[in-house]
Amino acid sequence: YQRCFDKIKARILSVAWSHDDQTIVTGSADGAVRVWNTDTGRMAARMTLPREGRDPTLVWAVTVLPSGTIVSGDSRGHVIFWDHVMHVVQQDFRALGADVLCLGADADGHTVFASGVDPKVTQFKLFAGGKPASGDTKKKAGFRNKKWQLAGIRRYHTHDVRAIAVSSHLDRDLLITGGVDTQVTSCESRPFPNENPYRQPCFPPLNGVVSVATEGKLILQRQANVLKLWSLGKAEPISQVLNGQMESGQGLQVYERQRDLLQMELKTKTNLLCSTISSSGRLVAASDVEGPKLFSLVHSESGVQVRRVRGFPPENFVPEYSESRGATQMRFTSDETKIAIATVDGFVSIVDISEWQQGVFTTVRRHCQHRNTKDEVEADAGCSDVLTHPGEAKNIVAAVADMRTITSMAVSSSGKFVATSDSAGYVAVVGIDNKGAT
């Protein structure tokens, strides 16, 4: 905390920093765009938008370009470019048919994207002397005649678009949008609007929120700090003849519907990072940042009884020097005698749970293939298997090795191997009952 800025009566709906960090720009519910001095905390300028009707215009989005130009998006569907010196309107566009909720710009500040309640994505480009502006535009005399033009429109979403970002990486600019339809789309921004987007799934595979007990025919869902358990329904048996004629996605005749069995609200300080259920449905494991927990489930006609299994996890499932005990992934083996735990620090620990009813748990081994730096690997004396670090194999200097998080895990049906992958694209397959690794 450094200072409190001058108070205003209206709600602040949007905030943006200038590129020199000298000013902050805000958009408010009173139809004003304000410029604030970060050194004094006082308002340096105020630009007022016109009303449509009796209510003030809402400034939902603001951004500041490297040139200092201020861009605002408002409830009228307008995108306005403001002169940052005189604080007057340079250009005003009716960009959308409804509220503009988000703005994004490329690193050069020559392209701006806008979207909102009207889910079209609208592109504006800066032209100088009749040609698209480029990196050396400021050196040319024609830059004085620069003008913004509406360059393209494309609809990527079915409902409101709430977020736009332009990521500049190497020689490519990536346009990323997210909306109420739960879709995240990405495409190259330069060929917009001709580029077809890549659509991320509604529920990304990273840390899946659903796990299935195949033998017990149960589904476990994770939401915030709550675990929900359902039993799957039953369908009429299908003859081999009909089975060959059915299409993927075709509905079945159900004679027993799914049932909501249980809802557990765990006492945790943070949301759950991961959860899993054993094949029979007798054991459930979940973890927040403080560490994993194990529960036993007893199924009866009257319902499901839950009991916290004490003593899990064993203290040594991570080394003493580990900074975190939280788990990002967990999986039971098919025989439910072991559980694989991927920790926030990049360890993969194998814990024997065959004597869970007696409260006895043993750490069988730890694997360190996903650890981040050479120093960490050398310090991992407690690991059962320390191979050449993947960063070394790629000639990556330890100090600049990418931070990696274990994002997915799978245990083989035989229970002999566990496969893990991390955010850097490294995949490791290790033995559960031996020290082999690939």
Side-chain angles (χ1 to χ4, degrees):
Y1 175 84
Q2 289 186 339
R3 64 177 52 84
C4 183
F5 284 36
D6 290 347
K7 184 178 180 181
I8 62 175
K9 294 182 179 180
R11 287 183 301 139
I12 294 177
L13 303 176
S14 51
V15 179
W17 280 89
S18 65
H19 284 255
D20 59 6
D21 293 340
Q22 297 300 308
T23 58
I24 292 175
V25 178
T26 62
S28 305
D30 59 356
V33 176
R34 292 175 172 85
V35 180
W36 303 84
N37 187 303
T38 56
D39 291 329
T40 64
R42 296 191 175 277
M43 184 171 62
R46 168 177 169 159
M47 297 93 81
T48 304
L49 283 71
R51 297 189 178 197
E52 284 189 359
R54 307 176 71 178
D55 296 327
T57 300
L58 306 177
V59 186
W60 291 116
V62 290
T63 191
V64 183
L65 306 182
S67 63
T69 299
I70 299 169
V71 189
S72 66
D74 58 56
S75 57
R76 302 172 302 150
H78 285 236
V79 171
I80 301 178
F81 294 84
W82 302 86
D83 185 290
H84 69 290
V85 177
M86 303 301 295
H87 301 113
V88 295
V89 175
Q90 287 182 334
Q91 289 179 264
D92 188 345
F93 295 89
R94 179 65 184 267
L96 302 172
D99 302 44
V100 175
L101 300 179
C102 50
L103 296 168
D106 64 2
D108 294 329
H110 297 157
T111 305
V112 173
F113 294 91
S115 192
V117 175
D118 179 355
K120 294 181 297 186
V121 178
T122 305
Q123 181 194 56
F124 299 91
K125 281 191 173 182
L126 181 64
F127 284 76
K131 297 181 180 180
S134 60
D136 59 346
T137 299
K138 291 184 178 181
K139 301 178 182 179
K140 301 178 181 179
F143 187 73
R144 298 176 182 176
N145 300 320
K146 64 183 183 298
K147 291 289 183 182
W148 288 93
Q149 294 184 16
L150 197 158
I153 296 175
R154 185 72 183 268
R155 186 186 297 270
Y156 292 147
H157 297 268
T158 58
H159 295 79
D160 302 13
V161 178
R162 297 293 181 88
I164 288 181
V166 181
S167 172
S168 299
H169 181 66
L170 298 179
D171 60 342
R172 300 174 64 184
D173 287 340
L174 195 65
L175 171 65
I176 305 168
T177 64
V180 176
D181 59 2
T182 72
Q183 293 283 332
V184 176
T185 70
S186 60
C187 64
E188 286 196 52
S189 65
R190 293 176 184 175
F192 181 92
N194 301 318
E195 183 82 359
N196 291 324
Y198 173 76
R199 299 183 183 276
Q200 300 285 350
C202 298
F203 299 101
L206 171 63
N207 250 351
V209 296
V210 173
S211 54
V212 180
T214 53
E215 293 181 12
K217 299 188 184 305
L218 303 170
I219 290 180
L220 180 72
Q221 182 214 348
R222 181 182 80 255
Q223 182 178 357
N225 66 330
V226 176
L227 295 176
K228 298 180 180 180
L229 185 69
W230 285 276
S231 66
L232 293 174
K234 296 180 181 179
E236 296 287 352
I238 305 172
S239 66
Q240 293 184 354
V241 176
L242 289 177
N243 189 33
Q245 298 174 351
M246 295 189 69
E247 298 181 359
S248 176
Q250 183 174 339
L252 301 175
Q253 294 295 325
V254 177
Y255 69 87
E256 183 178 324
R257 298 188 63 82
Q258 70 275 11
R259 290 185 298 135
D260 186 351
L261 298 180
L262 178 67
Q263 178 169 313
M264 294 190 298
E265 183 174 353
L266 306 186
K267 293 182 179 180
T268 58
K269 293 184 178 179
T270 65
N271 288 344
L272 296 174
L273 301 178
C274 65
S275 60
T276 187
I277 188 170
S278 65
S279 179
S280 68
R282 292 194 306 160
L283 295 173
V284 166
S287 177
D288 65 351
V289 295
E290 292 189 332
K293 301 174 177 61
L294 184 66
F295 302 90
S296 67
L297 306 182
V298 179
H299 302 265
S300 64
E301 295 182 358
S302 59
V304 179
Q305 294 182 345
V306 183
R307 183 175 67 89
R308 171 79 181 274
V309 181
R310 302 296 176 181
F312 178 87
E315 287 293 328
N316 64 347
F317 88 101
V318 291
E320 293 181 359
Y321 57 82
S322 179
E323 296 179 356
S324 176
R325 296 176 61 85
T328 60
Q329 295 285 333
M330 292 189 291
R331 296 291 185 273
F332 291 99
T333 57
S334 56
D335 60 5
E336 302 180 8
T337 60
K338 296 180 180 67
I339 184 172
I341 305 172
T343 71
V344 173
D345 284 346
F347 293 102
V348 177
S349 299
I350 310 300
V351 177
D352 189 324
I353 59 171
S354 58
E355 300 182 49
W356 66 267
Q357 293 176 325
Q358 289 77 39
V360 177
F361 301 96
T362 305
T363 300
V364 178
R365 59 182 44 83
R366 289 190 295 266
H367 297 282
C368 304
Q369 281 73 25
H370 297 282
R371 295 286 283 164
N372 297 320
T373 67
K374 179 182 177 181
D375 291 339
E376 285 179 332
V377 172
E378 291 176 348
D380 290 339
C383 276
S384 305
D385 198 2
V386 181
L387 300 179
T388 300
H389 187 262
E392 285 184 320
K394 298 178 181 179
N395 295 321
I396 299 176
V397 179
V400 296
D402 293 334
M403 293 294 292
R404 296 192 301 277
T405 301
I406 298 176
T407 57
S408 59
M409 172 185 285
V411 174
S412 65
S413 57
S414 65
K416 294 182 178 180
F417 302 97
V418 57
T420 50
S421 64
D422 61 33
S423 54
Y426 179 70
V427 177
V429 179
V430 298
I432 290 180
D433 292 324
N434 56 59
K435 298 184 180 181
T438 59

